């Protein structure tokens, strides 16, 4: 079900990305983590994004 023709290439690409991230060459754009997913944090994340002034990514944890 999850097999694709380019699965080996995807592995190669993700391995390269992991190496670059480990070396500090690639960095995340996540700038703010609001903690676990709950109604209050989702509302806050939405409020932040609606301001139009958010820089980077706002994340929630606990999926």
């Amino acid at each position: 079900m999850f097999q694709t023709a380019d699965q080996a290439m995807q592995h190669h690409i993700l391995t390269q990305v992991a190496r670059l991230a480990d070396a500090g060459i690639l960095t995340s754009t996540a700038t703010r983590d609001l903690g676990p997913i709950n109604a209050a944090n989702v509302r806050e994340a939405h409020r932040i994004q609606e301001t139009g002034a958010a820089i980077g990514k706002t994340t929630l944890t606990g999926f």
Side-chain angles (χ1 to χ4, degrees), residues 27-48:
T27 58
S28 172
T29 59
T31 56
R32 184 178 295 178
D33 182 10
L34 298 179
I37 296 173
N38 58 44
N41 288 346
V42 169
R43 280 192 295 272
E44 177 63 9
H46 199 273
R47 185 195 67 73
I48 290 167

Side-chain angles (χ1 to χ4, degrees), residues 1 3-4 11-12 16 20-22 27-29 32 35 37 42 45 48 53 57 60-61:
M1 178 176 167
Q3 302 279 327
T4 62
H11 172 73
H12 173 73
Q16 288 297 100
L20 293 171
D22 289 344
T27 58
S28 172
T29 59
R32 184 178 295 178
I37 296 173
V42 169
I48 290 167
K57 305 293 183 210
L60 297 168
T61 55

